[in-house]
């Protein structure tokens, strides 16, 4: 399938921007892990590191989705619109967002409260996390549609 040069240039530019954002977020994650500024000071050292791990988990899912985005943009920049790697990338983006959102909604709040010994509502849910989870699940399903369309295209190409 032919792709115009302007589209490929935009994909290369967006891929570079995505890599820059990914590198910046990794740096922020590393800086946060080294200083632990947001953790309660009354917690012991073991609890502080468990809290750090719990709070970093959703970010790791989101960062894996960003990595899949830059890979997909690289495929698009190379002219592979209906290639199997694009469907794989959509699936990986969806899984990363879905896993990050599920961890954010269910694990971070409740595990942080459990580790820190806090009290409060155990049924607190973040609306943005729930929406991201639904979007991630939809992307996983859309990847199946792209796989099926690619298979149909290959079948049609054989016929002609």
């Amino acid at each position: 399938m032919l792709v115009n040069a302007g589209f490929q240039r935009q994909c290369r530019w967006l891929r570079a921007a995505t890599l820059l954002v990914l590198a910046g977020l990794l740096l922020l994650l590393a800086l946060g892990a080294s200083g632990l500024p947001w953790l309660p000071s009354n917690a012991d050292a073991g609890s502080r590191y468990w809290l750090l791990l719990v709070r970093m988990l959703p970010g790791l899912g989101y960062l894996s989705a960003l990595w899949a985005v830059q890979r997909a943009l690289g495929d698009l920049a190379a002219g592979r619109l209906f290639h199997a790697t694009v469907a794989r990338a959509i699936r990986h983006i969806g899984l990363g967002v879905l896993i990050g959102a599920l961890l954010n909604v269910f694990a971070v709040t409740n595990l942080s409260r459990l580790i820190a010994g806090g009290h409060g509502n155990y049924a607190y849910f973040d609306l943005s996390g729930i929406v991201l989870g639904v979007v991630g699940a939809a992307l996983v399903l859309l990847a199946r549609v792209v796989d099926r369309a690619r298979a149909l295209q290959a079948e049609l190409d054989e016929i002609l």
Side-chain angles (χ1 to χ4, degrees), residues 67-153:
W67 182 256
V69 166
Q70 70 82 26
R71 281 185 22 204
L73 289 168
D75 287 339
L76 292 173
R80 294 186 292 257
L81 290 179
F82 237 16
H83 198 266
T85 55
V86 173
R88 183 195 67 205
I90 293 170
R91 185 175 298 106
H92 288 171
I93 293 166
L95 283 173
V97 169
L98 177 62
I99 289 169
L102 287 174
L103 287 170
N104 190 32
V105 169
F106 294 109
V108 171
T109 304
N110 295 322
L111 287 176
S112 296
R113 187 177 299 113
L114 242 166
I115 292 168
H119 301 286
N121 187 1
Y122 285 94
Y124 169 77
F125 298 110
D126 178 26
L127 178 62
S128 62
I130 293 169
V131 170
L132 279 174
V134 171
V135 168
L139 284 173
V140 171
L141 291 176
L142 287 174
R144 291 178 62 189
V145 172
V146 172
D147 276 336
R148 182 67 181 139
R150 188 179 50 80
L152 288 174
Q153 180 67 41

Side-chain angles (χ1 to χ4, degrees), residues 41-59:
S41 59
N42 60 349
D44 62 12
S47 295
R48 290 171 58 91
Y49 289 108
W50 279 110
L51 283 171
L52 171 70
L53 177 67
V54 165
R55 291 181 182 174
M56 285 177 62
L57 286 175

